[in-house]
Amino acid sequence: MRKNIYLIGFMGTGKSTVGRILAEKLDMEFCDTDSMIEMKTGKTVEEIFEDESEEVFRNIESEVLTEITSRKNLVVSTGGGIVVTRGNMDMMRKEGLLVSLLASADVIFERTKNDKCRPLLNVEDPLDQIKKMLFDRAHFYIDTDFLVDTTDTPPEEAAEQIVEFYNNADSQG
């Protein structure tokens, strides 16, 4: 059984796209924490934010992460804010490799601007909000085993970089 790979990073950095490619390349199972939350609650992420609160969402997210970390051989695409809940980074690090996908604020804005399913970006100036949130979360996003900048890197190439890192890390124990 191989260690899990946890993809973290801001929304729009390519975690789901790269994660699916990566899982296929490594013959691992792909899972997405946001999708699992939606299956568990019967609500979309936006509905949870709207009907409940971000705090309720973060609590459910941590519960789902706990379930995931009991399994092996997974590529896990996490929600962009999973890193802000105390203990989540440690939980992922203990059970696998943490890989951060990074991208510039402008590229993230371009990738997410037409997606109305991003509750934290449904504000007057989403680009400014992206910059603020990236700044606030930067120390989490860089405290990982491996970083991939997806600003100008196609998903297939990003996945290849992670495969190479993972196989090297795996062979070293």
Short mmCIF file of all heavy atoms in Angstrom, two decimals, residues 96-166:
data_model
loop_
_atom_site.label_atom_id
_atom_site.label_comp_id
_atom_site.label_asym_id
_atom_site.label_seq_id
_atom_site.Cartn_x
_atom_site.Cartn_y
_atom_site.Cartn_z
N GLY A 96 0.57 10.82 4.85
CA GLY A 96 0.97 10.83 3.45
C GLY A 96 1.88 11.99 3.11
O GLY A 96 2.49 12.59 4.00
N LEU A 97 1.95 12.27 1.83
CA LEU A 97 2.77 13.38 1.35
C LEU A 97 1.88 14.58 1.06
O LEU A 97 0.80 14.43 0.48
CB LEU A 97 3.52 12.99 0.08
CG LEU A 97 4.65 12.00 0.23
CD1 LEU A 97 5.22 11.64 -1.13
CD2 LEU A 97 5.76 12.55 1.12
N LEU A 98 2.35 15.75 1.45
CA LEU A 98 1.64 17.00 1.18
C LEU A 98 2.27 17.66 -0.04
O LEU A 98 3.46 17.96 -0.05
CB LEU A 98 1.79 17.95 2.36
CG LEU A 98 0.77 17.87 3.48
CD1 LEU A 98 1.18 18.79 4.62
CD2 LEU A 98 -0.60 18.21 3.00
N VAL A 99 1.44 17.90 -1.05
CA VAL A 99 1.90 18.57 -2.26
C VAL A 99 1.05 19.81 -2.46
O VAL A 99 -0.18 19.74 -2.45
CB VAL A 99 1.77 17.65 -3.50
CG1 VAL A 99 2.16 18.40 -4.77
CG2 VAL A 99 2.63 16.40 -3.33
N SER A 100 1.71 20.94 -2.59
CA SER A 100 1.00 22.21 -2.76
C SER A 100 1.04 22.66 -4.21
O SER A 100 2.09 22.68 -4.83
CB SER A 100 1.64 23.27 -1.87
OG SER A 100 0.88 24.45 -1.88
N LEU A 101 -0.14 22.99 -4.73
CA LEU A 101 -0.22 23.58 -6.06
C LEU A 101 -0.39 25.09 -5.88
O LEU A 101 -1.25 25.53 -5.13
CB LEU A 101 -1.40 23.01 -6.85
CG LEU A 101 -1.40 21.50 -7.06
CD1 LEU A 101 -2.54 21.10 -8.00
CD2 LEU A 101 -0.08 20.98 -7.59
N LEU A 102 0.45 25.84 -6.55
CA LEU A 102 0.45 27.29 -6.43
C LEU A 102 0.16 27.90 -7.80
O LEU A 102 0.45 27.31 -8.83
CB LEU A 102 1.82 27.78 -5.95
CG LEU A 102 2.39 27.12 -4.70
CD1 LEU A 102 3.84 27.53 -4.49
CD2 LEU A 102 1.56 27.48 -3.48
N ALA A 103 -0.39 29.11 -7.79
CA ALA A 103 -0.59 29.87 -9.03
C ALA A 103 -0.69 31.34 -8.65
O ALA A 103 -1.00 31.68 -7.50
CB ALA A 103 -1.85 29.42 -9.76
N SER A 104 -0.45 32.20 -9.61
CA SER A 104 -0.54 33.64 -9.35
C SER A 104 -1.99 34.05 -9.12
O SER A 104 -2.93 33.39 -9.61
CB SER A 104 0.04 34.43 -10.52
OG SER A 104 -0.85 34.35 -11.63
N ALA A 105 -2.19 35.13 -8.40
CA ALA A 105 -3.54 35.64 -8.12
C ALA A 105 -4.29 35.94 -9.41
O ALA A 105 -5.49 35.65 -9.52
CB ALA A 105 -3.46 36.88 -7.24
N ASP A 106 -3.60 36.51 -10.39
CA ASP A 106 -4.25 36.84 -11.66
C ASP A 106 -4.74 35.59 -12.39
O ASP A 106 -5.84 35.58 -12.94
CB ASP A 106 -3.30 37.63 -12.56
CG ASP A 106 -3.04 39.04 -12.04
OD1 ASP A 106 -3.93 39.60 -11.36
OD2 ASP A 106 -1.95 39.57 -12.29
N VAL A 107 -3.94 34.54 -12.39
CA VAL A 107 -4.33 33.29 -13.05
C VAL A 107 -5.48 32.64 -12.28
O VAL A 107 -6.44 32.15 -12.89
CB VAL A 107 -3.12 32.34 -13.18
CG1 VAL A 107 -3.55 30.92 -13.53
CG2 VAL A 107 -2.16 32.87 -14.24
N ILE A 108 -5.41 32.64 -10.98
CA ILE A 108 -6.51 32.09 -10.17
C ILE A 108 -7.81 32.84 -10.47
O ILE A 108 -8.86 32.23 -10.67
CB ILE A 108 -6.18 32.15 -8.67
CG1 ILE A 108 -5.07 31.14 -8.33
CG2 ILE A 108 -7.43 31.90 -7.81
CD1 ILE A 108 -4.47 31.29 -6.95
N PHE A 109 -7.72 34.16 -10.55
CA PHE A 109 -8.90 34.97 -10.87
C PHE A 109 -9.47 34.56 -12.23
O PHE A 109 -10.68 34.36 -12.38
CB PHE A 109 -8.56 36.46 -10.84
CG PHE A 109 -9.70 37.33 -11.28
CD1 PHE A 109 -10.81 37.50 -10.46
CD2 PHE A 109 -9.67 37.97 -12.51
CE1 PHE A 109 -11.88 38.29 -10.87
CE2 PHE A 109 -10.73 38.75 -12.93
CZ PHE A 109 -11.84 38.92 -12.11
N GLU A 110 -8.60 34.44 -13.23
CA GLU A 110 -9.06 34.06 -14.57
C GLU A 110 -9.72 32.69 -14.56
O GLU A 110 -10.73 32.47 -15.23
CB GLU A 110 -7.89 34.07 -15.58
CG GLU A 110 -7.48 35.45 -16.03
CD GLU A 110 -8.63 36.26 -16.64
OE1 GLU A 110 -9.34 35.72 -17.50
OE2 GLU A 110 -8.80 37.42 -16.25
N ARG A 111 -9.16 31.76 -13.79
CA ARG A 111 -9.70 30.39 -13.74
C ARG A 111 -11.02 30.30 -12.98
O ARG A 111 -11.79 29.38 -13.21
CB ARG A 111 -8.68 29.44 -13.10
CG ARG A 111 -7.45 29.20 -13.95
CD ARG A 111 -6.46 28.33 -13.20
NE ARG A 111 -5.23 28.14 -13.95
CZ ARG A 111 -4.13 27.60 -13.44
NH1 ARG A 111 -4.11 27.19 -12.18
NH2 ARG A 111 -3.04 27.47 -14.19
N THR A 112 -11.25 31.23 -12.06
CA THR A 112 -12.43 31.11 -11.19
C THR A 112 -13.50 32.17 -11.43
O THR A 112 -14.59 32.07 -10.88
CB THR A 112 -12.02 31.20 -9.70
OG1 THR A 112 -11.39 32.46 -9.45
CG2 THR A 112 -11.09 30.06 -9.30
N LYS A 113 -13.22 33.16 -12.25
CA LYS A 113 -14.12 34.33 -12.36
C LYS A 113 -15.53 34.00 -12.83
O LYS A 113 -16.48 34.70 -12.47
CB LYS A 113 -13.51 35.43 -13.23
CG LYS A 113 -13.42 35.09 -14.70
CD LYS A 113 -12.79 36.23 -15.48
CE LYS A 113 -12.66 35.86 -16.95
NZ LYS A 113 -11.92 36.87 -17.68
N ASN A 114 -15.71 32.96 -13.62
CA ASN A 114 -17.05 32.61 -14.11
C ASN A 114 -17.72 31.51 -13.30
O ASN A 114 -18.81 31.06 -13.64
CB ASN A 114 -16.98 32.20 -15.58
CG ASN A 114 -16.52 33.36 -16.45
OD1 ASN A 114 -16.92 34.49 -16.23
ND2 ASN A 114 -15.66 33.07 -17.41
N ASP A 115 -17.05 31.08 -12.23
CA ASP A 115 -17.59 30.01 -11.39
C ASP A 115 -18.30 30.63 -10.19
O ASP A 115 -17.67 31.16 -9.29
CB ASP A 115 -16.43 29.12 -10.93
CG ASP A 115 -16.90 27.90 -10.16
OD1 ASP A 115 -18.10 27.83 -9.80
OD2 ASP A 115 -16.06 27.02 -9.91
N LYS A 116 -19.61 30.56 -10.19
CA LYS A 116 -20.40 31.16 -9.11
C LYS A 116 -20.49 30.25 -7.89
O LYS A 116 -21.14 30.57 -6.91
CB LYS A 116 -21.81 31.53 -9.61
CG LYS A 116 -21.79 32.55 -10.73
CD LYS A 116 -21.04 33.82 -10.33
CE LYS A 116 -20.85 34.76 -11.50
NZ LYS A 116 -19.66 35.58 -11.35
N CYS A 117 -19.83 29.08 -7.97
CA CYS A 117 -19.87 28.12 -6.87
C CYS A 117 -18.68 28.29 -5.93
O CYS A 117 -18.21 27.33 -5.33
CB CYS A 117 -19.91 26.70 -7.42
SG CYS A 117 -21.35 26.37 -8.42
N ARG A 118 -18.18 29.48 -5.81
CA ARG A 118 -17.04 29.77 -4.94
C ARG A 118 -17.50 30.79 -3.90
O ARG A 118 -17.32 32.00 -4.08
CB ARG A 118 -15.86 30.35 -5.75
CG ARG A 118 -15.47 29.54 -6.97
CD ARG A 118 -14.51 28.47 -6.62
NE ARG A 118 -14.04 27.77 -7.83
CZ ARG A 118 -13.16 26.80 -7.81
NH1 ARG A 118 -12.65 26.42 -6.68
NH2 ARG A 118 -12.80 26.19 -8.92
N PRO A 119 -18.09 30.32 -2.80
CA PRO A 119 -18.70 31.26 -1.85
C PRO A 119 -17.76 32.35 -1.31
O PRO A 119 -18.20 33.47 -1.10
CB PRO A 119 -19.21 30.38 -0.71
CG PRO A 119 -18.73 29.01 -0.98
CD PRO A 119 -18.23 28.94 -2.38
N LEU A 120 -16.49 32.02 -1.15
CA LEU A 120 -15.56 33.02 -0.59
C LEU A 120 -15.15 34.07 -1.62
O LEU A 120 -14.55 35.08 -1.27
CB LEU A 120 -14.33 32.33 0.00
CG LEU A 120 -14.61 31.45 1.23
CD1 LEU A 120 -13.35 30.73 1.67
CD2 LEU A 120 -15.18 32.28 2.37
N LEU A 121 -15.50 33.83 -2.90
CA LEU A 121 -15.16 34.81 -3.94
C LEU A 121 -16.38 35.57 -4.44
O LEU A 121 -16.28 36.38 -5.36
CB LEU A 121 -14.46 34.13 -5.12
CG LEU A 121 -13.09 33.50 -4.80
CD1 LEU A 121 -12.46 32.96 -6.07
CD2 LEU A 121 -12.17 34.49 -4.11
N ASN A 122 -17.54 35.32 -3.83
CA ASN A 122 -18.75 36.06 -4.21
C ASN A 122 -18.76 37.39 -3.48
O ASN A 122 -19.59 37.66 -2.61
CB ASN A 122 -20.01 35.24 -3.90
CG ASN A 122 -20.16 34.06 -4.84
OD1 ASN A 122 -19.59 34.06 -5.92
ND2 ASN A 122 -20.91 33.07 -4.41
N VAL A 123 -17.79 38.22 -3.83
CA VAL A 123 -17.61 39.54 -3.22
C VAL A 123 -17.45 40.57 -4.34
O VAL A 123 -17.32 40.21 -5.51
CB VAL A 123 -16.36 39.56 -2.30
CG1 VAL A 123 -16.54 38.63 -1.11
CG2 VAL A 123 -15.09 39.19 -3.06
N GLU A 124 -17.45 41.85 -3.94
CA GLU A 124 -17.37 42.93 -4.92
C GLU A 124 -16.09 42.90 -5.75
O GLU A 124 -16.10 43.11 -6.95
CB GLU A 124 -17.51 44.28 -4.21
CG GLU A 124 -17.83 45.42 -5.16
CD GLU A 124 -18.17 46.69 -4.41
OE1 GLU A 124 -19.03 46.65 -3.52
OE2 GLU A 124 -17.55 47.72 -4.74
N ASP A 125 -14.95 42.64 -5.07
CA ASP A 125 -13.66 42.62 -5.78
C ASP A 125 -12.98 41.26 -5.54
O ASP A 125 -12.12 41.13 -4.66
CB ASP A 125 -12.77 43.77 -5.26
CG ASP A 125 -11.48 43.92 -6.05
OD1 ASP A 125 -11.15 43.02 -6.87
OD2 ASP A 125 -10.80 44.95 -5.87
N PRO A 126 -13.34 40.24 -6.34
CA PRO A 126 -12.79 38.91 -6.11
C PRO A 126 -11.26 38.83 -6.24
O PRO A 126 -10.62 38.09 -5.51
CB PRO A 126 -13.47 38.02 -7.14
CG PRO A 126 -14.32 38.89 -7.98
CD PRO A 126 -14.32 40.27 -7.41
N LEU A 127 -10.67 39.60 -7.16
CA LEU A 127 -9.22 39.56 -7.31
C LEU A 127 -8.53 40.04 -6.04
O LEU A 127 -7.56 39.43 -5.56
CB LEU A 127 -8.76 40.39 -8.51
CG LEU A 127 -7.24 40.42 -8.76
CD1 LEU A 127 -6.66 39.02 -8.94
CD2 LEU A 127 -6.91 41.29 -9.98
N ASP A 128 -9.03 41.10 -5.45
CA ASP A 128 -8.48 41.60 -4.19
C ASP A 128 -8.67 40.56 -3.08
O ASP A 128 -7.75 40.33 -2.28
CB ASP A 128 -9.17 42.93 -3.81
CG ASP A 128 -8.49 43.60 -2.64
OD1 ASP A 128 -7.26 43.79 -2.70
OD2 ASP A 128 -9.19 43.91 -1.64
N GLN A 129 -9.81 39.91 -3.07
CA GLN A 129 -10.08 38.86 -2.08
C GLN A 129 -9.11 37.69 -2.26
O GLN A 129 -8.59 37.16 -1.28
CB GLN A 129 -11.54 38.36 -2.23
CG GLN A 129 -11.92 37.24 -1.29
CD GLN A 129 -12.16 37.70 0.13
OE1 GLN A 129 -11.90 38.84 0.50
NE2 GLN A 129 -12.66 36.80 0.94
N ILE A 130 -8.84 37.31 -3.49
CA ILE A 130 -7.88 36.24 -3.77
C ILE A 130 -6.51 36.62 -3.22
O ILE A 130 -5.85 35.83 -2.55
CB ILE A 130 -7.79 35.95 -5.30
CG1 ILE A 130 -9.08 35.27 -5.77
CG2 ILE A 130 -6.56 35.10 -5.63
CD1 ILE A 130 -9.25 35.24 -7.29
N LYS A 131 -6.07 37.84 -3.49
CA LYS A 131 -4.76 38.30 -3.02
C LYS A 131 -4.68 38.26 -1.50
O LYS A 131 -3.67 37.80 -0.94
CB LYS A 131 -4.46 39.71 -3.53
CG LYS A 131 -4.19 39.74 -5.03
CD LYS A 131 -3.99 41.17 -5.53
CE LYS A 131 -3.76 41.20 -7.03
NZ LYS A 131 -3.69 42.56 -7.55
N LYS A 132 -5.73 38.72 -0.83
CA LYS A 132 -5.74 38.71 0.65
C LYS A 132 -5.68 37.29 1.19
O LYS A 132 -4.92 36.99 2.11
CB LYS A 132 -7.00 39.41 1.17
CG LYS A 132 -6.97 40.90 1.04
CD LYS A 132 -8.28 41.51 1.54
CE LYS A 132 -8.26 43.01 1.33
NZ LYS A 132 -9.60 43.60 1.42
N MET A 133 -6.50 36.42 0.61
CA MET A 133 -6.55 35.04 1.10
C MET A 133 -5.24 34.30 0.81
O MET A 133 -4.79 33.52 1.65
CB MET A 133 -7.76 34.31 0.50
CG MET A 133 -9.09 34.85 1.04
SD MET A 133 -10.51 34.14 0.19
CE MET A 133 -10.48 32.48 0.85
N LEU A 134 -4.66 34.53 -0.35
CA LEU A 134 -3.36 33.91 -0.65
C LEU A 134 -2.31 34.35 0.35
O LEU A 134 -1.51 33.54 0.83
CB LEU A 134 -2.90 34.28 -2.07
CG LEU A 134 -3.50 33.50 -3.21
CD1 LEU A 134 -3.09 34.11 -4.56
CD2 LEU A 134 -3.10 32.03 -3.16
N PHE A 135 -2.30 35.63 0.67
CA PHE A 135 -1.35 36.16 1.65
C PHE A 135 -1.56 35.49 3.01
O PHE A 135 -0.61 35.04 3.65
CB PHE A 135 -1.50 37.69 1.77
CG PHE A 135 -0.55 38.29 2.76
CD1 PHE A 135 0.77 38.55 2.41
CD2 PHE A 135 -0.96 38.58 4.05
CE1 PHE A 135 1.66 39.09 3.32
CE2 PHE A 135 -0.08 39.12 4.97
CZ PHE A 135 1.23 39.38 4.61
N ASP A 136 -2.82 35.40 3.44
CA ASP A 136 -3.14 34.82 4.75
C ASP A 136 -2.78 33.34 4.83
O ASP A 136 -2.44 32.84 5.91
CB ASP A 136 -4.63 34.98 5.07
CG ASP A 136 -5.02 36.42 5.34
OD1 ASP A 136 -4.12 37.26 5.59
OD2 ASP A 136 -6.23 36.73 5.30
N ARG A 137 -2.89 32.64 3.72
CA ARG A 137 -2.67 31.18 3.73
C ARG A 137 -1.28 30.78 3.23
O ARG A 137 -0.95 29.59 3.27
CB ARG A 137 -3.72 30.50 2.85
CG ARG A 137 -5.13 30.66 3.36
CD ARG A 137 -6.12 30.06 2.38
NE ARG A 137 -7.49 30.20 2.83
CZ ARG A 137 -8.54 29.79 2.13
NH1 ARG A 137 -8.36 29.23 0.94
NH2 ARG A 137 -9.76 29.95 2.60
N ALA A 138 -0.49 31.71 2.77
CA ALA A 138 0.80 31.39 2.14
C ALA A 138 1.68 30.49 3.00
O ALA A 138 2.28 29.54 2.50
CB ALA A 138 1.55 32.68 1.78
N HIS A 139 1.75 30.78 4.30
CA HIS A 139 2.64 29.99 5.16
C HIS A 139 2.20 28.52 5.23
O HIS A 139 3.02 27.63 5.40
CB HIS A 139 2.75 30.60 6.55
CG HIS A 139 1.49 30.65 7.33
ND1 HIS A 139 0.47 31.54 7.05
CD2 HIS A 139 1.06 29.92 8.38
CE1 HIS A 139 -0.53 31.35 7.89
NE2 HIS A 139 -0.20 30.38 8.71
N PHE A 140 0.90 28.25 5.07
CA PHE A 140 0.43 26.86 5.01
C PHE A 140 0.82 26.22 3.68
O PHE A 140 1.31 25.10 3.64
CB PHE A 140 -1.10 26.79 5.14
CG PHE A 140 -1.64 27.22 6.46
CD1 PHE A 140 -2.44 28.34 6.56
CD2 PHE A 140 -1.37 26.50 7.63
CE1 PHE A 140 -2.96 28.74 7.77
CE2 PHE A 140 -1.88 26.89 8.85
CZ PHE A 140 -2.67 28.02 8.92
N TYR A 141 0.57 26.95 2.61
CA TYR A 141 0.79 26.41 1.27
C TYR A 141 2.25 26.11 0.97
O TYR A 141 2.54 25.25 0.13
CB TYR A 141 0.22 27.35 0.20
CG TYR A 141 -1.28 27.47 0.20
CD1 TYR A 141 -1.90 28.64 -0.23
CD2 TYR A 141 -2.12 26.42 0.60
CE1 TYR A 141 -3.29 28.76 -0.26
CE2 TYR A 141 -3.50 26.53 0.59
CZ TYR A 141 -4.08 27.70 0.15
OH TYR A 141 -5.44 27.82 0.12
N ILE A 142 3.18 26.80 1.63
CA ILE A 142 4.59 26.52 1.37
C ILE A 142 5.19 25.49 2.33
O ILE A 142 6.29 25.01 2.11
CB ILE A 142 5.47 27.80 1.34
CG1 ILE A 142 5.44 28.50 2.67
CG2 ILE A 142 5.02 28.71 0.21
CD1 ILE A 142 6.45 29.62 2.79
N ASP A 143 4.45 25.13 3.39
CA ASP A 143 4.95 24.19 4.39
C ASP A 143 4.56 22.76 4.00
O ASP A 143 3.82 22.08 4.70
CB ASP A 143 4.38 24.56 5.77
CG ASP A 143 4.91 23.68 6.87
OD1 ASP A 143 6.00 23.09 6.70
OD2 ASP A 143 4.23 23.55 7.91
N THR A 144 5.05 22.32 2.84
CA THR A 144 4.67 21.01 2.32
C THR A 144 5.91 20.25 1.87
O THR A 144 7.02 20.78 1.89
CB THR A 144 3.70 21.17 1.13
OG1 THR A 144 4.33 21.94 0.12
CG2 THR A 144 2.40 21.82 1.55
N ASP A 145 5.68 19.02 1.43
CA ASP A 145 6.79 18.19 0.96
C ASP A 145 7.26 18.58 -0.44
O ASP A 145 8.41 18.36 -0.80
CB ASP A 145 6.35 16.71 0.94
CG ASP A 145 5.99 16.22 2.33
OD1 ASP A 145 6.84 16.34 3.23
OD2 ASP A 145 4.85 15.74 2.51
N PHE A 146 6.33 19.13 -1.25
CA PHE A 146 6.66 19.43 -2.64
C PHE A 146 5.74 20.55 -3.13
O PHE A 146 4.56 20.59 -2.78
CB PHE A 146 6.48 18.17 -3.48
CG PHE A 146 7.01 18.26 -4.89
CD1 PHE A 146 8.36 18.47 -5.13
CD2 PHE A 146 6.16 18.13 -5.97
CE1 PHE A 146 8.86 18.53 -6.43
CE2 PHE A 146 6.64 18.19 -7.28
CZ PHE A 146 8.00 18.40 -7.50
N LEU A 147 6.29 21.45 -3.92
CA LEU A 147 5.53 22.58 -4.48
C LEU A 147 5.53 22.49 -6.01
O LEU A 147 6.57 22.20 -6.60
CB LEU A 147 6.16 23.92 -4.10
CG LEU A 147 6.32 24.25 -2.63
CD1 LEU A 147 7.22 25.47 -2.45
CD2 LEU A 147 4.98 24.52 -2.00
N VAL A 148 4.37 22.77 -6.61
CA VAL A 148 4.28 22.84 -8.07
C VAL A 148 3.56 24.14 -8.42
O VAL A 148 2.44 24.37 -7.96
CB VAL A 148 3.49 21.66 -8.66
CG1 VAL A 148 3.41 21.78 -10.18
CG2 VAL A 148 4.13 20.33 -8.28
N ASP A 149 4.20 24.97 -9.21
CA ASP A 149 3.58 26.21 -9.66
C ASP A 149 2.81 25.91 -10.94
O ASP A 149 3.40 25.57 -11.96
CB ASP A 149 4.64 27.28 -9.92
CG ASP A 149 4.04 28.64 -10.26
OD1 ASP A 149 2.84 28.71 -10.60
OD2 ASP A 149 4.78 29.62 -10.19
N THR A 150 1.48 26.00 -10.86
CA THR A 150 0.63 25.68 -12.02
C THR A 150 0.26 26.91 -12.84
O THR A 150 -0.55 26.81 -13.75
CB THR A 150 -0.66 24.97 -11.58
OG1 THR A 150 -1.45 25.87 -10.78
CG2 THR A 150 -0.36 23.70 -10.79
N THR A 151 0.88 28.05 -12.53
CA THR A 151 0.57 29.29 -13.26
C THR A 151 0.69 29.08 -14.76
O THR A 151 -0.23 29.40 -15.52
CB THR A 151 1.49 30.44 -12.80
OG1 THR A 151 1.31 30.65 -11.40
CG2 THR A 151 1.18 31.73 -13.54
N ASP A 152 1.82 28.53 -15.20
CA ASP A 152 2.06 28.30 -16.63
C ASP A 152 2.33 26.83 -16.93
O ASP A 152 2.77 26.49 -18.03
CB ASP A 152 3.28 29.12 -17.10
CG ASP A 152 3.04 30.61 -16.97
OD1 ASP A 152 1.98 31.08 -17.40
OD2 ASP A 152 3.93 31.30 -16.43
N THR A 153 2.08 25.95 -15.97
CA THR A 153 2.35 24.53 -16.14
C THR A 153 1.06 23.79 -16.45
O THR A 153 0.12 23.83 -15.64
CB THR A 153 2.99 23.94 -14.85
OG1 THR A 153 4.14 24.72 -14.52
CG2 THR A 153 3.39 22.49 -15.04
N PRO A 154 0.98 23.10 -17.57
CA PRO A 154 -0.23 22.33 -17.88
C PRO A 154 -0.45 21.22 -16.85
O PRO A 154 0.53 20.69 -16.29
CB PRO A 154 0.06 21.74 -19.27
CG PRO A 154 1.25 22.47 -19.79
CD PRO A 154 1.99 23.01 -18.62
N PRO A 155 -1.69 20.82 -16.60
CA PRO A 155 -1.99 19.80 -15.59
C PRO A 155 -1.22 18.49 -15.78
O PRO A 155 -0.72 17.91 -14.82
CB PRO A 155 -3.49 19.57 -15.76
CG PRO A 155 -4.01 20.84 -16.33
CD PRO A 155 -2.90 21.38 -17.19
N GLU A 156 -1.08 18.05 -17.02
CA GLU A 156 -0.35 16.81 -17.32
C GLU A 156 1.11 16.91 -16.85
O GLU A 156 1.64 15.98 -16.23
CB GLU A 156 -0.40 16.55 -18.83
CG GLU A 156 0.22 15.26 -19.27
CD GLU A 156 -0.63 14.03 -19.02
OE1 GLU A 156 -1.88 14.15 -18.97
OE2 GLU A 156 -0.04 12.96 -18.86
N GLU A 157 1.73 18.05 -17.11
CA GLU A 157 3.12 18.27 -16.71
C GLU A 157 3.24 18.38 -15.18
O GLU A 157 4.17 17.85 -14.58
CB GLU A 157 3.66 19.54 -17.38
CG GLU A 157 5.14 19.74 -17.21
CD GLU A 157 5.64 21.00 -17.91
OE1 GLU A 157 5.17 21.28 -19.04
OE2 GLU A 157 6.47 21.70 -17.31
N ALA A 158 2.29 19.05 -14.56
CA ALA A 158 2.28 19.16 -13.09
C ALA A 158 2.18 17.77 -12.47
O ALA A 158 2.90 17.44 -11.52
CB ALA A 158 1.12 20.04 -12.63
N ALA A 159 1.31 16.94 -13.02
CA ALA A 159 1.15 15.57 -12.52
C ALA A 159 2.45 14.79 -12.68
O ALA A 159 2.85 14.05 -11.76
CB ALA A 159 0.00 14.88 -13.24
N GLU A 160 3.12 14.95 -13.81
CA GLU A 160 4.40 14.27 -14.05
C GLU A 160 5.45 14.66 -13.00
O GLU A 160 6.19 13.81 -12.51
CB GLU A 160 4.94 14.58 -15.45
CG GLU A 160 4.40 13.70 -16.54
CD GLU A 160 4.70 12.22 -16.34
OE1 GLU A 160 5.76 11.84 -15.80
OE2 GLU A 160 3.82 11.42 -16.71
N GLN A 161 5.51 15.95 -12.69
CA GLN A 161 6.46 16.42 -11.67
C GLN A 161 6.18 15.75 -10.32
O GLN A 161 7.10 15.36 -9.61
CB GLN A 161 6.38 17.95 -11.52
CG GLN A 161 6.91 18.73 -12.69
CD GLN A 161 6.72 20.22 -12.52
OE1 GLN A 161 6.61 20.74 -11.41
NE2 GLN A 161 6.68 20.95 -13.64
N ILE A 162 4.90 15.63 -9.99
CA ILE A 162 4.52 15.03 -8.71
C ILE A 162 4.83 13.53 -8.72
O ILE A 162 5.32 12.99 -7.72
CB ILE A 162 3.03 15.30 -8.39
CG1 ILE A 162 2.78 16.81 -8.27
CG2 ILE A 162 2.62 14.58 -7.10
CD1 ILE A 162 1.32 17.22 -8.29
N VAL A 163 4.56 12.85 -9.83
CA VAL A 163 4.87 11.42 -9.95
C VAL A 163 6.36 11.20 -9.69
O VAL A 163 6.75 10.31 -8.91
CB VAL A 163 4.49 10.87 -11.35
CG1 VAL A 163 5.12 9.50 -11.59
CG2 VAL A 163 2.98 10.80 -11.50
N GLU A 164 7.20 12.00 -10.32
CA GLU A 164 8.65 11.87 -10.15
C GLU A 164 9.05 12.07 -8.68
O GLU A 164 9.80 11.28 -8.11
CB GLU A 164 9.37 12.88 -11.04
CG GLU A 164 10.85 12.65 -11.12
CD GLU A 164 11.53 13.59 -12.12
OE1 GLU A 164 10.95 13.85 -13.19
OE2 GLU A 164 12.64 14.04 -11.80
N PHE A 165 8.51 13.12 -8.07
CA PHE A 165 8.80 13.37 -6.66
C PHE A 165 8.32 12.21 -5.79
O PHE A 165 9.04 11.72 -4.92
CB PHE A 165 8.15 14.69 -6.19
CG PHE A 165 8.25 14.87 -4.71
CD1 PHE A 165 9.43 15.28 -4.13
CD2 PHE A 165 7.17 14.58 -3.89
CE1 PHE A 165 9.55 15.41 -2.74
CE2 PHE A 165 7.27 14.71 -2.51
CZ PHE A 165 8.46 15.12 -1.95
N TYR A 166 7.09 11.78 -6.01
CA TYR A 166 6.47 10.72 -5.20
C TYR A 166 7.26 9.41 -5.31
O TYR A 166 7.53 8.76 -4.31
CB TYR A 166 5.02 10.51 -5.65
CG TYR A 166 4.25 9.51 -4.82
CD1 TYR A 166 3.87 9.81 -3.52
CD2 TYR A 166 3.90 8.27 -5.33
CE1 TYR A 166 3.14 8.91 -2.75
CE2 TYR A 166 3.17 7.36 -4.57
CZ TYR A 166 2.80 7.69 -3.29
OH TYR A 166 2.09 6.80 -2.53
#
